[in-house]
Every structure is written in C-alpha cells, then in structure tokens.
C-alpha cells in the first residue's frame, strides 16, 4: 500500500457527463498512489485500515481547472474596467507587464498571486507569464512550491507591443524562449512550460516560424488567444489578409492543435463556422472566459454550440480581463452570460445548466492535463473539500442544492481541504 | 455637543454627482447629531476635542442602499437558477413564501437574513416580506434590532397565487393590511411599513382599489415590480387590456409615484417610451436589479437612458432572483450588464462607469430615504468603513483604485465598521 493511499469520507460530487452529476453521500473516496480508486458506500476490503480523513458534512469535488489566466496582471485585477481589449492592453496590461523586467518586482507580485491561487479551489491552471525569461522562471519556482499542477508560458511578442514591452526581433524572442525551455528541463515536477505566442497581432510571421520549430523540437503544448474582440479580429484580418479566418493564422504554422500539438485557445467569442470546424478537427481546447468577455465588452461565446459539437472546453478566469480568480465565479458567469445571449442574441442556443458549467470547470478543462477532473477510477486524484458552515439554512438541503449554493456563494473560507495528484496541500 | 457628535478619520469617498467622485485622504468626517457636518482636511475649531475613530489606511464611504429585495426568498438564494420569472415564481418563490404562515419558521429564517444584512455594507433597504401579517411583523422586529433603516412590506396578492399562497379576497387582503399597518404604528424607530402589491398579475382591480384607499389614508410609500420579463409583460397586457402600458395599471389606482405617493418600481427592463415618460413625470424610483435580470433571463435595463432622463434610480440585490446580498456586487453587475447591452443590443447607450454605479448604490437609491447617501453637510450619517488588508498589492494604489478594487473584490471581511444615522453598529 502506497503512502499516498488514503480515503476521504463525505458527500462526493463529480460530473459523469456534461449533463449528469454523480452524488453520493457518506461516501468513501479512495486515493491509491495519486489516482482515484473510485467512490464507495462502504470501504472495500482491500482498503480496510487505510488512513481516512472524515469530513462528513462537507462536500468533496474534483479540483477546478483554470484554462486561461495572466499571472502578471493579477496586480490590477478589479481596476481599469473601462476600456475594450486593444486599448485596455495598451493602457493597463502592457505597462504592468513591463515591470516584470525587474526580478525583485516579479518575485513580490508573483508571491501574492501564487499564494492566492493555492488557497483557491483551483488545482490545475494554464498560465501566461510575460516575455521575460527570468521572471517567468521565478513564477515557475513559486508555482512549483504551491503543489498545484500547472503550465506556465514565457510570452512571445515581437511586434505591436510598447517601447518597454516587446522583444527586439523574432530571432531574439526564439533564442530567449529556447533558453527558458532549456532552463526548465528537469527542474520541475509540478509546473511545465507551454509555448505562448501572445496573439497574432503580437507575433510576426518570422516569429511564428521560429515558434513552430521550437514546438516540434521540444514537443510543447501551445496556448494563445482567438477571436475574442471585434477590434482585434478586424486587426488580424488586416495583418493576415490571406488567412481565411483568425485561427488559420495559427494553423498555417502548425500551432493550432492536432495530435502532436495540444493547444488552448482562449475566448472564441466570434468564431466563424469554418473556424469552429477547424477547432473541432484539431481538438483545440477552448478556454471560455465569460467574465473577461463581459468586462472588456467582447461579447458572449456560443458555448452551447461548442458543447454540442463536442469541442473540448474548459473555463478561464482570464485574470485580469476577469477580476475574480475563482473558477466557481467563472461557472456562474458562464451560466449567466449564456442566459443573456439566449435572451438578447440567439434563442436557438439554450442557456447553460449548472451541471454543464460544473463539467466545464472540472472534467472539461481538466482533460487538457490528462485524466483529470473526475473521481472515476484511474483519474488523477485532485480533490477540494467544501464546508458550507457559514451558509446557515432553516431547512435541510439536498446535496445538489448545497453544491449549487457553494458555487454561487462560497469564498476561500469554504475551501477547507485540497489535494493535487494525491498530495494534501491543506 | 450631542452624544452622537464624533469624527471618523480616513480616506473619505462619496458621489458628488453621477459622474464625479469626491475623494479626500487623511480626512475628518464629522457626525453631528446624526447628520454629516462635512469632510475636512483639519478638524474645525468647533469640533476640537470630539471623539475621533482613527481608521487611517481605510476607506470610508456612505452606506449602500438596496432598493429591492425579498427577505423570505433569502433561504433559496443561489439555487433554482434554471427558470424564467413566472415559472420560477411558481416553482421556487411561492412554495418558500408559503412557509411563512408558520411564525416559528419565519423567525428562524428571518434571523439568518437580518444577521447577514447587518454585516453587509447596506444601511438602507426596501424589503418585500410575504402576505402573512404576523411573519411580516416578526421580520420588522428583527430589522428594528439591527439598527438599519428600512422599509418592509406585507405583500398583497389575491389572485394567481398558489393554494397555500394567496389571500382569500380583496377585502381580506385589505383588512389584514390595515391591521398590520395599525400594529406597526408607533412601534418602530428604524423600520417603516411600505405598501406592497406584489405585481399586477397578483392583484385584482378590487384589491388595487382597496390599496389605493389605504395608501391615501395612511400616506404610505409603495413598492412593486414593473416590466421585468417578457412573459410577465404579455400577461399584464391580457389582464389589463385597456391599460396602454404596464405602469398605467398601477397609475390608474394612484399607486405610481407622485408627490404624495413615493414609489419604487423594481426592474424596468422593457419599458416603452410612454412608460418611461410617466416614470419620469411621477418621480418613480427605479430599482435596477442586474443580477436578477440576468439569472431570470429577463434582459438588461437601459440604465444609461434612465440616468440621462434624470429618473431617480438605485440598485437592488433582488434576493433571490439575485443570489448575492451584496450591493457592491450589484454595482459591478450593473457595469457588466451595461457593457453586454452596448455590445449586443444598442451601441447608442454607452456602458456605465464605476462612478455611476457607485452613485446609484449610494446617493441614487439613498434619496428614497431622504437626505441619504452622501457626506455633504446635512445628510444623514450612514457610513461604512472598508479595510483592504487582505488584498495585498506590490505597488501603491490611488484611493480611487483602492475603492474600485474593493467594489469588485471585497466581502464581509473588508467591512470593519458601520454607522446608520450616526449610530455605530460595529
């Protein structure tokens, strides 16, 4: 019996499918060597005598996945919410990211970010850093220490930045990226590098060529932005007049999914039919970021359509286009945004259900990390314990109602335990 | 010098106009006999020696006003978010409200609600109870004890309810309402009765006639719902075929604003031009409830237009169509909803600014209660102290940035002091 073999006892909830929530009360959730061994009404004979943390009265859910966020923007979350994407980047995001040329600042700021991420219900995340290799490694050192399993990317941008936030050439960007990748090699157990071209307006064709070569050489996954905001999309059309749609500007460099290039594209608010078909064909993961899409007045993505097409999808907080680090908040934002889209824009796409939002936040996004986001046997054991002690109620609630209330109303005080790949964080 | 004469020292913020935020750091905010004596960089000579609570490092803002919420629905907030208004009423709201025929249940449930309201940043609220007189008085007893200044209304509904939630006749409803009003007379200092016809579909013409007479006899203010959801509006048109618009169905009974009938109408999502003109003419207060309007897929109110027309307006949490009791959350929801409305529906109405949302939550809604919602001299002294201790930042922030961050990110832990009409609650 492995030292990572133990049980949690409580009310276990996880998504079996986008529409079906598994709930078992007074259940034993068994972790065997970092993997879930399943959920049982009675502890099976082979697990008799293993350590058991009894959190009866609490809910136990899979850890949440945040498929898209910018760590260096955490400082200004909840401020500067008065502009659309492109002006917002130039006014708020780029000046802040430029500060990360200073490792001392990076360490102070990233320490605050990683501490808060550790306390949240998130166990997996795919994170943008800045273009600075040294600061990105500092972030990765701090992420490693949290115990969370994450991807982190040094950003590439060789055009349309600002005087203090742009790499000097495609070659320089590629050289610094290669050095960063080499520095990471073998250094971390929990955090892995991910190739991170900021978005098409930030990356010349020459840079995309270099990144394509790096991707193939190091077999790295890729994250970027796609079809977020109307101004951005018009700009990409100008910059890449021969691309039939935005996504093709990534695809022609082999940086748009496919078997050997796992890819996350954030937003996908305004995708054309052709773009959606290619997302599906390539198995690109969509990171749906409803709060950011609202704050930056980008619009509302047709999530119901993506679900129906079977495109892999998770949720993103998109700090700091989004102001909340909570993936619970992303769940309720996703449901709410889908209702407004249905009411105002297109009543053929029914609003999302809580079950669907929960699925996206767990199994949907978790799948980018492998067998993650479920308690079915063989899934990596990421678990979060939720205690609704401070939400008194004059009536008994069903477990599903308790879960729904926690999704809508909880904060970090309700998160009383957290495990990643079988390791207890708290 | 009155015993309620004292100063708070800190960073004082309040709305001078919908677009202008007053901010003074290291300021003295003086309370003289329950009223604000103004904000000063140095304590004026006549106030030398008064007690001073030094909260330097904290922000001090006017208490927030919640212009619309249903206390008996607090129990199921954050659950049952899968239906539109009319089905939601029948499925979730009416069955819960029916429980308040039991005073023991009412006491338990209302105790939870009033305790949470006291801890919030809200100092003024206009609240729906249920149709039960006794339970409504219990709610008022509990509200009185909080020290908050509130209106609370026994609901009237003599049609289209459910078997266990409907008054037996217009006469019975009027009789119970008169008894409730008489029972309240002289009993409370902080909580006052407000006439509360639920909405037109719940109130027969005969009942509206009775309520009109009660309103005139007791000179009570009025609260109700208006033009919230498309299904509701179509139903009102069927029920009142001779009313040119929904609001006229209240107005023909004299229950729609005017000098002698201060009125709050919640929602106003889908008002016609004629209805807007009458709202303006009558000085009706609009309670804008963006979270509820999203959760129930009602739509997004044209708030920018109402502001431009000078119609009095505040924010409502609309518990439990809204799931959050926080008026800070209502502020950010208002800004976010206005952005989606601008993007998806009508780009002639610019998104709301943080200043405008703050104004609506303070001076806008507060004005229903008199001179409330500002720290200008002569306003009733409602103050909330905000401490951003748990939002560390690697850079100094301006006071306005700190306020914006608190609006987006704070919870009850950040509310470290609260005063209503000069009385310290904590």
């Amino acid at each position: 019996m492995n030292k990572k073999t133990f049980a949690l006892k409580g009310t276990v909830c996880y998504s079996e499918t986008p529409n079906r929530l598994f709930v078992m009360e007074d259940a034993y959730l068994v972790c065997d060597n970092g993997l879930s061994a399943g959920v049982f009404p009675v502890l099976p004979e082979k697990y008799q005598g293993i350590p058991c943390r009894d959190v009866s009265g609490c809910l136990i859910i899979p850890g949440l996945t945040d498929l898209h966020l910018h760590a260096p923007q955490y400082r200004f979350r909840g401020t500067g919410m008065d502009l659309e994407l492109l002006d917002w980047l130039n006014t708020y995001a780029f000046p802040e990211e430029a500060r990360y040329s200073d490792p001392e600042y990076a360490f102070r700021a990233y320490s605050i970010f990683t501490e808060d991420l550790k306390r949240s219900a998130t166990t997996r995340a795919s994170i943008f850093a800045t273009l600075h290799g040294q600061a990105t490694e500092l972030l990765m050192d701090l992420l490693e220490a949290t115990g969370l399993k994450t991807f982190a990317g040094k950003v590439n941008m060789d055009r349309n930045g600002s005087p203090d936030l742009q790499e000097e050439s495609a070659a320089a960007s590629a050289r610094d990226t290669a050095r960063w990748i080499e520095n990471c090699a073998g250094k971390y157990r929990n955090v892995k590098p991910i190739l991170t071209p900021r978005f098409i307006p930030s990356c010349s064709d020459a840079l995309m060529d270099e990144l394509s070569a790096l991707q193939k050489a190091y077999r790295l996954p890729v994250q970027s932005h796609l079809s977020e905001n109307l101004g951005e999309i018009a700009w990409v059309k100008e910059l890449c007049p021969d691309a039939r749609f935005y996504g093709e500007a990534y695809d022609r460099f082999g940086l748009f999914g496919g078997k050997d290039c796992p890819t996350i594209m954030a937003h996908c608010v305004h995708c054309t039919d052709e773009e959606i078909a290619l997302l599906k064909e390539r198995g690109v993961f969509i990171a749906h970021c409803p709060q950011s899409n609202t704050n930056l007045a980008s619009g509302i993505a047709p999530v119901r359509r993506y679900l129906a097409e079977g495109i892999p999808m998770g949720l993103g907080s998109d700090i700091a286009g989004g102001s909340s680090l909570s993936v619970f908040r992303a769940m309720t934002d996703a449901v709410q945004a889908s209702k407004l889209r249905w009411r105002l824009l297109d009543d053929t796409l029914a609003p999302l259900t809580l079950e669907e939002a929960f699925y996206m936040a767990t199994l949907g996004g978790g799948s980018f990390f492998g067998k993650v986001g479920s308690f079915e046997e063989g899934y990596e054991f990421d678990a979060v314990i939720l205690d609704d002690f401070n939400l008194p109620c004059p009536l008994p609630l069903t477990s599903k109602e308790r879960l729904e209330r926690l999704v809508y109303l909880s904060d970090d005080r309700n998160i009383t335990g957290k495990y990643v790949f079988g390791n207890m964080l708290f």
Side-chain angles (χ1 to χ4, degrees), chain A residues 245-278:
Chain A
F245 49 87
Y246 192 160
E248 203 175 69
Y250 295 106
D251 190 55
R252 61 192 180 177
F253 297 100
L255 297 171
F256 199 71
K259 193 167 62 66
D260 296 321
C261 182
T263 298
I264 298 168
M265 284 288 159
H267 306 304
C268 300
V269 175
H270 302 284
C271 295
T272 63
D273 289 347
E274 273 180 302
E275 190 160 81
I276 292 170
L278 193 65

mmCIF file of all heavy atoms in Angstrom, chain A residues 245-278:
data_model
loop_
_atom_site.group_PDB
_atom_site.id
_atom_site.type_symbol
_atom_site.label_atom_id
_atom_site.label_comp_id
_atom_site.label_asym_id
_atom_site.label_seq_id
_atom_site.Cartn_x
_atom_site.Cartn_y
_atom_site.Cartn_z
ATOM 1 N N PHE A 245 -9.565 32.898 -41.960
ATOM 2 C CA PHE A 245 -10.119 33.255 -40.646
ATOM 3 C C PHE A 245 -8.956 33.290 -39.658
ATOM 4 O O PHE A 245 -7.845 32.801 -39.945
ATOM 5 C CB PHE A 245 -11.222 32.290 -40.220
ATOM 6 C CG PHE A 245 -10.854 30.843 -40.358
ATOM 7 C CD1 PHE A 245 -10.192 30.172 -39.337
ATOM 8 C CD2 PHE A 245 -11.124 30.143 -41.540
ATOM 9 C CE1 PHE A 245 -9.833 28.842 -39.473
ATOM 10 C CE2 PHE A 245 -10.763 28.806 -41.677
ATOM 11 C CZ PHE A 245 -10.115 28.152 -40.641
ATOM 12 N N TYR A 246 -9.206 33.880 -38.512
ATOM 13 C CA TYR A 246 -8.182 34.126 -37.493
ATOM 14 C C TYR A 246 -7.387 32.848 -37.180
ATOM 15 O O TYR A 246 -6.137 32.834 -37.196
ATOM 16 C CB TYR A 246 -8.893 34.678 -36.256
ATOM 17 C CG TYR A 246 -8.086 35.278 -35.145
ATOM 18 C CD1 TYR A 246 -8.711 36.143 -34.236
ATOM 19 C CD2 TYR A 246 -6.736 35.015 -34.948
ATOM 20 C CE1 TYR A 246 -8.026 36.720 -33.189
ATOM 21 C CE2 TYR A 246 -6.049 35.586 -33.894
ATOM 22 C CZ TYR A 246 -6.692 36.423 -33.008
ATOM 23 O OH TYR A 246 -6.011 36.984 -31.952
ATOM 24 N N GLY A 247 -8.100 31.782 -36.903
ATOM 25 C CA GLY A 247 -7.428 30.544 -36.492
ATOM 26 C C GLY A 247 -6.439 30.031 -37.528
ATOM 27 O O GLY A 247 -5.437 29.379 -37.183
ATOM 28 N N GLU A 248 -6.713 30.321 -38.800
ATOM 29 C CA GLU A 248 -5.800 29.852 -39.835
ATOM 30 C C GLU A 248 -4.428 30.513 -39.706
ATOM 31 O O GLU A 248 -3.412 29.944 -40.131
ATOM 32 C CB GLU A 248 -6.397 30.135 -41.225
ATOM 33 C CG GLU A 248 -5.822 29.235 -42.299
ATOM 34 C CD GLU A 248 -6.504 29.423 -43.645
ATOM 35 O OE1 GLU A 248 -6.318 30.499 -44.256
ATOM 36 O OE2 GLU A 248 -7.231 28.511 -44.068
ATOM 37 N N ALA A 249 -4.395 31.708 -39.127
ATOM 38 C CA ALA A 249 -3.116 32.397 -38.928
ATOM 39 C C ALA A 249 -2.220 31.649 -37.935
ATOM 40 O O ALA A 249 -0.997 31.791 -37.964
ATOM 41 C CB ALA A 249 -3.358 33.830 -38.454
ATOM 42 N N TYR A 250 -2.810 30.851 -37.042
ATOM 43 C CA TYR A 250 -2.017 29.949 -36.208
ATOM 44 C C TYR A 250 -1.767 28.626 -36.940
ATOM 45 O O TYR A 250 -0.680 28.068 -36.895
ATOM 46 C CB TYR A 250 -2.746 29.628 -34.887
ATOM 47 C CG TYR A 250 -2.961 30.800 -33.961
ATOM 48 C CD1 TYR A 250 -4.229 31.368 -33.803
ATOM 49 C CD2 TYR A 250 -1.914 31.321 -33.202
ATOM 50 C CE1 TYR A 250 -4.434 32.424 -32.936
ATOM 51 C CE2 TYR A 250 -2.123 32.382 -32.330
ATOM 52 C CZ TYR A 250 -3.384 32.929 -32.202
ATOM 53 O OH TYR A 250 -3.587 33.970 -31.343
ATOM 54 N N ASP A 251 -2.812 28.162 -37.612
ATOM 55 C CA ASP A 251 -2.762 26.810 -38.159
ATOM 56 C C ASP A 251 -1.700 26.657 -39.241
ATOM 57 O O ASP A 251 -1.066 25.612 -39.353
ATOM 58 C CB ASP A 251 -4.148 26.450 -38.732
ATOM 59 C CG ASP A 251 -4.242 24.981 -39.088
ATOM 60 O OD1 ASP A 251 -3.979 24.133 -38.185
ATOM 61 O OD2 ASP A 251 -4.553 24.665 -40.244
ATOM 62 N N ARG A 252 -1.502 27.724 -40.021
ATOM 63 C CA ARG A 252 -0.514 27.560 -41.101
ATOM 64 C C ARG A 252 0.907 27.422 -40.575
ATOM 65 O O ARG A 252 1.808 27.060 -41.312
ATOM 66 C CB ARG A 252 -0.637 28.713 -42.090
ATOM 67 C CG ARG A 252 -0.391 30.059 -41.493
ATOM 68 C CD ARG A 252 -0.830 31.130 -42.485
ATOM 69 N NE ARG A 252 -0.598 32.454 -41.932
ATOM 70 C CZ ARG A 252 -0.831 33.576 -42.579
ATOM 71 N NH1 ARG A 252 -1.322 33.550 -43.792
ATOM 72 N NH2 ARG A 252 -0.589 34.737 -42.028
ATOM 73 N N PHE A 253 1.116 27.680 -39.278
ATOM 74 C CA PHE A 253 2.413 27.411 -38.654
ATOM 75 C C PHE A 253 2.366 26.137 -37.790
ATOM 76 O O PHE A 253 3.292 25.888 -37.018
ATOM 77 C CB PHE A 253 2.851 28.604 -37.809
ATOM 78 C CG PHE A 253 3.056 29.849 -38.622
ATOM 79 C CD1 PHE A 253 2.081 30.840 -38.677
ATOM 80 C CD2 PHE A 253 4.216 30.008 -39.384
ATOM 81 C CE1 PHE A 253 2.268 31.977 -39.450
ATOM 82 C CE2 PHE A 253 4.404 31.148 -40.150
ATOM 83 C CZ PHE A 253 3.428 32.128 -40.197
ATOM 84 N N GLY A 254 1.288 25.389 -37.917
ATOM 85 C CA GLY A 254 1.205 24.150 -37.133
ATOM 86 C C GLY A 254 1.038 24.396 -35.654
ATOM 87 O O GLY A 254 1.393 23.560 -34.815
ATOM 88 N N LEU A 255 0.486 25.567 -35.300
ATOM 89 C CA LEU A 255 0.318 25.903 -33.879
ATOM 90 C C LEU A 255 -1.169 26.010 -33.541
ATOM 91 O O LEU A 255 -1.622 26.975 -32.929
ATOM 92 C CB LEU A 255 1.052 27.227 -33.568
ATOM 93 C CG LEU A 255 2.572 27.189 -33.776
ATOM 94 C CD1 LEU A 255 3.176 28.587 -33.653
ATOM 95 C CD2 LEU A 255 3.238 26.246 -32.772
ATOM 96 N N PHE A 256 -1.915 25.038 -33.970
ATOM 97 C CA PHE A 256 -3.365 25.089 -33.757
ATOM 98 C C PHE A 256 -3.886 23.675 -33.545
ATOM 99 O O PHE A 256 -4.684 23.161 -34.307
ATOM 100 C CB PHE A 256 -4.030 25.744 -34.971
ATOM 101 C CG PHE A 256 -5.430 26.279 -34.707
ATOM 102 C CD1 PHE A 256 -5.624 27.398 -33.911
ATOM 103 C CD2 PHE A 256 -6.544 25.671 -35.273
ATOM 104 C CE1 PHE A 256 -6.903 27.897 -33.678
ATOM 105 C CE2 PHE A 256 -7.834 26.172 -35.050
ATOM 106 C CZ PHE A 256 -8.011 27.288 -34.252
ATOM 107 N N GLY A 257 -3.396 23.050 -32.489
ATOM 108 C CA GLY A 257 -3.905 21.740 -32.136
ATOM 109 C C GLY A 257 -3.370 20.619 -33.001
ATOM 110 O O GLY A 257 -2.325 20.744 -33.641
ATOM 111 N N GLY A 258 -4.082 19.521 -32.984
ATOM 112 C CA GLY A 258 -3.610 18.316 -33.661
ATOM 113 C C GLY A 258 -2.921 17.404 -32.651
ATOM 114 O O GLY A 258 -2.607 17.809 -31.540
ATOM 115 N N LYS A 259 -2.687 16.173 -33.075
ATOM 116 C CA LYS A 259 -2.205 15.128 -32.164
ATOM 117 C C LYS A 259 -0.915 15.523 -31.435
ATOM 118 O O LYS A 259 -0.754 15.248 -30.249
ATOM 119 C CB LYS A 259 -1.978 13.842 -32.975
ATOM 120 C CG LYS A 259 -1.773 12.585 -32.149
ATOM 121 C CD LYS A 259 -1.865 11.345 -33.021
ATOM 122 C CE LYS A 259 -0.796 11.278 -34.111
ATOM 123 N NZ LYS A 259 0.579 11.132 -33.587
ATOM 124 N N ASP A 260 -0.011 16.170 -32.141
ATOM 125 C CA ASP A 260 1.298 16.435 -31.553
ATOM 126 C C ASP A 260 1.429 17.849 -31.007
ATOM 127 O O ASP A 260 2.533 18.274 -30.663
ATOM 128 C CB ASP A 260 2.390 16.183 -32.597
ATOM 129 C CG ASP A 260 2.409 14.721 -33.012
ATOM 130 O OD1 ASP A 260 2.225 13.867 -32.118
ATOM 131 O OD2 ASP A 260 2.568 14.436 -34.212
ATOM 132 N N CYS A 261 0.324 18.566 -30.954
ATOM 133 C CA CYS A 261 0.406 19.961 -30.518
ATOM 134 C C CYS A 261 -0.841 20.351 -29.710
ATOM 135 O O CYS A 261 -1.675 21.119 -30.161
ATOM 136 C CB CYS A 261 0.565 20.866 -31.751
ATOM 137 S SG CYS A 261 0.748 22.610 -31.357
ATOM 138 N N PRO A 262 -0.947 19.795 -28.487
ATOM 139 C CA PRO A 262 -2.114 20.152 -27.665
ATOM 140 C C PRO A 262 -2.185 21.663 -27.489
ATOM 141 O O PRO A 262 -1.178 22.285 -27.150
ATOM 142 C CB PRO A 262 -1.832 19.468 -26.324
ATOM 143 C CG PRO A 262 -0.767 18.452 -26.598
ATOM 144 C CD PRO A 262 0.018 18.957 -27.767
ATOM 145 N N THR A 263 -3.358 22.222 -27.744
ATOM 146 C CA THR A 263 -3.467 23.684 -27.805
ATOM 147 C C THR A 263 -4.693 24.178 -27.052
ATOM 148 O O THR A 263 -5.765 23.582 -27.142
ATOM 149 C CB THR A 263 -3.555 24.141 -29.280
ATOM 150 O OG1 THR A 263 -2.354 23.766 -29.955
ATOM 151 C CG2 THR A 263 -3.742 25.651 -29.392
ATOM 152 N N ILE A 264 -4.499 25.279 -26.329
ATOM 153 C CA ILE A 264 -5.627 26.003 -25.711
ATOM 154 C C ILE A 264 -5.784 27.334 -26.430
ATOM 155 O O ILE A 264 -4.822 28.089 -26.545
ATOM 156 C CB ILE A 264 -5.368 26.305 -24.217
ATOM 157 C CG1 ILE A 264 -5.204 25.021 -23.412
ATOM 158 C CG2 ILE A 264 -6.494 27.168 -23.637
ATOM 159 C CD1 ILE A 264 -4.650 25.265 -22.004
ATOM 160 N N MET A 265 -6.971 27.622 -26.901
ATOM 161 C CA MET A 265 -7.268 28.937 -27.454
ATOM 162 C C MET A 265 -8.309 29.601 -26.545
ATOM 163 O O MET A 265 -9.412 29.071 -26.346
ATOM 164 C CB MET A 265 -7.813 28.828 -28.881
ATOM 165 C CG MET A 265 -6.731 28.538 -29.909
ATOM 166 S SD MET A 265 -5.666 29.994 -30.193
ATOM 167 C CE MET A 265 -4.206 29.181 -30.893
ATOM 168 N N ALA A 266 -7.929 30.751 -26.004
ATOM 169 C CA ALA A 266 -8.825 31.450 -25.087
ATOM 170 C C ALA A 266 -9.859 32.261 -25.862
ATOM 171 O O ALA A 266 -9.553 32.835 -26.903
ATOM 172 C CB ALA A 266 -8.027 32.379 -24.181
ATOM 173 N N HIS A 267 -11.077 32.270 -25.331
ATOM 174 C CA HIS A 267 -12.182 33.156 -25.744
ATOM 175 C C HIS A 267 -13.103 32.580 -26.818
ATOM 176 O O HIS A 267 -14.207 32.182 -26.541
ATOM 177 C CB HIS A 267 -11.674 34.554 -26.121
ATOM 178 C CG HIS A 267 -10.860 35.167 -25.039
ATOM 179 N ND1 HIS A 267 -11.359 35.313 -23.776
ATOM 180 C CD2 HIS A 267 -9.591 35.628 -25.001
ATOM 181 C CE1 HIS A 267 -10.427 35.851 -23.000
ATOM 182 N NE2 HIS A 267 -9.342 36.044 -23.720
ATOM 183 N N CYS A 268 -12.699 32.614 -28.112
ATOM 184 C CA CYS A 268 -13.560 32.056 -29.171
ATOM 185 C C CYS A 268 -14.975 32.617 -29.077
ATOM 186 O O CYS A 268 -15.969 31.882 -29.083
ATOM 187 C CB CYS A 268 -13.582 30.527 -29.087
ATOM 188 S SG CYS A 268 -11.929 29.827 -29.274
ATOM 189 N N VAL A 269 -15.060 33.939 -28.970
ATOM 190 C CA VAL A 269 -16.358 34.611 -28.837
ATOM 191 C C VAL A 269 -17.032 34.753 -30.196
ATOM 192 O O VAL A 269 -18.251 34.597 -30.314
ATOM 193 C CB VAL A 269 -16.180 35.998 -28.185
ATOM 194 C CG1 VAL A 269 -17.508 36.760 -28.140
ATOM 195 C CG2 VAL A 269 -15.604 35.854 -26.783
ATOM 196 N N HIS A 270 -16.220 35.047 -31.225
ATOM 197 C CA HIS A 270 -16.784 35.403 -32.527
ATOM 198 C C HIS A 270 -16.239 34.503 -33.635
ATOM 199 O O HIS A 270 -15.849 34.991 -34.703
ATOM 200 C CB HIS A 270 -16.453 36.872 -32.855
ATOM 201 C CG HIS A 270 -16.933 37.867 -31.842
ATOM 202 N ND1 HIS A 270 -18.261 38.250 -31.745
ATOM 203 C CD2 HIS A 270 -16.279 38.553 -30.867
ATOM 204 C CE1 HIS A 270 -18.384 39.140 -30.770
ATOM 205 N NE2 HIS A 270 -17.205 39.344 -30.218
ATOM 206 N N CYS A 271 -16.188 33.209 -33.405
ATOM 207 C CA CYS A 271 -15.632 32.294 -34.413
ATOM 208 C C CYS A 271 -16.611 32.112 -35.575
ATOM 209 O O CYS A 271 -17.820 32.021 -35.376
ATOM 210 C CB CYS A 271 -15.349 30.926 -33.806
ATOM 211 S SG CYS A 271 -14.057 30.948 -32.554
ATOM 212 N N THR A 272 -16.064 32.030 -36.783
ATOM 213 C CA THR A 272 -16.881 31.701 -37.954
ATOM 214 C C THR A 272 -17.108 30.189 -37.998
ATOM 215 O O THR A 272 -16.453 29.417 -37.295
ATOM 216 C CB THR A 272 -16.145 32.108 -39.242
ATOM 217 O OG1 THR A 272 -14.937 31.328 -39.325
ATOM 218 C CG2 THR A 272 -15.792 33.590 -39.238
ATOM 219 N N ASP A 273 -18.029 29.772 -38.849
ATOM 220 C CA ASP A 273 -18.306 28.339 -38.998
ATOM 221 C C ASP A 273 -17.041 27.572 -39.388
ATOM 222 O O ASP A 273 -16.776 26.483 -38.879
ATOM 223 C CB ASP A 273 -19.389 28.113 -40.066
ATOM 224 C CG ASP A 273 -20.762 28.559 -39.581
ATOM 225 O OD1 ASP A 273 -20.919 28.809 -38.367
ATOM 226 O OD2 ASP A 273 -21.675 28.658 -40.423
ATOM 227 N N GLU A 274 -16.270 28.171 -40.309
ATOM 228 C CA GLU A 274 -15.039 27.495 -40.741
ATOM 229 C C GLU A 274 -14.064 27.353 -39.583
ATOM 230 O O GLU A 274 -13.388 26.334 -39.441
ATOM 231 C CB GLU A 274 -14.356 28.340 -41.834
ATOM 232 C CG GLU A 274 -14.829 28.083 -43.246
ATOM 233 C CD GLU A 274 -14.076 28.991 -44.217
ATOM 234 O OE1 GLU A 274 -14.152 30.238 -44.031
ATOM 235 O OE2 GLU A 274 -13.420 28.461 -45.119
ATOM 236 N N GLU A 275 -13.976 28.386 -38.776
ATOM 237 C CA GLU A 275 -13.053 28.348 -37.639
ATOM 238 C C GLU A 275 -13.488 27.287 -36.632
ATOM 239 O O GLU A 275 -12.668 26.549 -36.095
ATOM 240 C CB GLU A 275 -13.001 29.733 -36.986
ATOM 241 C CG GLU A 275 -11.908 29.870 -35.950
ATOM 242 C CD GLU A 275 -11.579 31.340 -35.696
ATOM 243 O OE1 GLU A 275 -12.316 31.980 -34.922
ATOM 244 O OE2 GLU A 275 -10.619 31.849 -36.275
ATOM 245 N N ILE A 276 -14.786 27.227 -36.400
ATOM 246 C CA ILE A 276 -15.301 26.223 -35.461
ATOM 247 C C ILE A 276 -15.011 24.818 -35.986
ATOM 248 O O ILE A 276 -14.611 23.925 -35.225
ATOM 249 C CB ILE A 276 -16.812 26.448 -35.230
ATOM 250 C CG1 ILE A 276 -17.026 27.767 -34.474
ATOM 251 C CG2 ILE A 276 -17.418 25.277 -34.466
ATOM 252 C CD1 ILE A 276 -18.480 28.219 -34.393
ATOM 253 N N ALA A 277 -15.172 24.645 -37.289
ATOM 254 C CA ALA A 277 -14.889 23.322 -37.869
ATOM 255 C C ALA A 277 -13.428 22.941 -37.668
ATOM 256 O O ALA A 277 -13.107 21.784 -37.357
ATOM 257 C CB ALA A 277 -15.248 23.323 -39.361
ATOM 258 N N LEU A 278 -12.539 23.906 -37.802
ATOM 259 C CA LEU A 278 -11.110 23.600 -37.632
ATOM 260 C C LEU A 278 -10.755 23.353 -36.164
ATOM 261 O O LEU A 278 -9.966 22.455 -35.848
ATOM 262 C CB LEU A 278 -10.247 24.730 -38.212
ATOM 263 C CG LEU A 278 -8.756 24.361 -38.363
ATOM 264 C CD1 LEU A 278 -8.552 23.243 -39.388
ATOM 265 C CD2 LEU A 278 -7.923 25.585 -38.759
#
